[in-house]
Amino acid sequence: MSDSPSKIKPPQRRFYRKRVDLFRLIDKIKIWPSRKGLLHGIKAIEITGDQARITTHCSKTFMVNNSRNSRAARWLRNKWFKGVCPACGIPEWKLEKYASTHFRRHHGSDLHVI
Ligand SMILES: [Zn+2]
């Protein structure tokens, strides 16, 4: 379960369900798509019920609702973004991990705790 950047491996393709829980997903990939189309790195996520407080590496804090159909959920699944936040400095390996993550309706993990 280590995200150690020192071990460079070819990115493993991951599959998640399209209806994966948004909070579990962002807790896993630690990336947030802003309304401006920039990907931010998530420093902290604090979940309280149906809301989560997200803090990015560029020190922005905001609340999000746990909706699979929200803008952010759709943008994450469809990988709609124009660029990467320069202040967040998301490492390349993390972007590759995200790039190798695929969303399928009938195949993949829904990230439920076993
Ligand atoms: Zn940022």
Side-chain angles (χ1 to χ4, degrees):
M1 271 311 289
S2 164
D3 283 339
S4 167
S6 57
K7 286 186 216 153
I8 310 282
K9 286 183 288 185
Q12 190 192 344
R13 273 152 60 92
R14 287 172 186 75
F15 291 93
Y16 294 140
R17 298 279 179 158
K18 273 195 172 176
R19 292 192 53 80
V20 65
D21 186 282
L22 175 63
F23 289 170
R24 290 190 204 279
L25 179 64
I26 57 181
D27 189 44
K28 195 88 181 167
I29 63 179
K30 298 281 201 297
I31 280 175
W32 181 260
S34 78
R35 274 174 204 283
K36 288 180 182 162
L38 285 185
L39 293 182
H40 292 271
I42 295 177
K43 192 158 86 179
I45 168 168
E46 249 178 82
I47 300 170
T48 39
D50 275 343
Q51 284 204 312
R53 180 192 299 275
I54 289 175
T55 307
T56 64
H57 282 283
C58 55
S59 300
K60 287 191 182 71
T61 299
F62 46 87
M63 303 294 292
V64 296
N65 291 315
N66 194 8
S67 167
R68 296 171 176 89
N69 300 316
S70 68
R71 175 200 61 83
R74 276 184 291 118
W75 286 22
L76 268 181
R77 284 197 300 259
N78 295 322
K79 299 190 181 142
W80 289 338
F81 59 93
K82 287 188 291 198
V84 177
C85 171
C88 275
I90 303 173
E92 199 63 36
W93 63 267
K94 199 177 272 191
L95 291 170
E96 278 172 17
K97 190 172 159 186
Y98 176 48
S100 60
T101 299
H102 304 275
F103 297 92
R104 295 282 185 269
R105 190 185 295 191
H106 298 296
H107 175 58
S109 168
D110 62 5
L111 293 174
H112 275 131
V113 179
I114 301 159

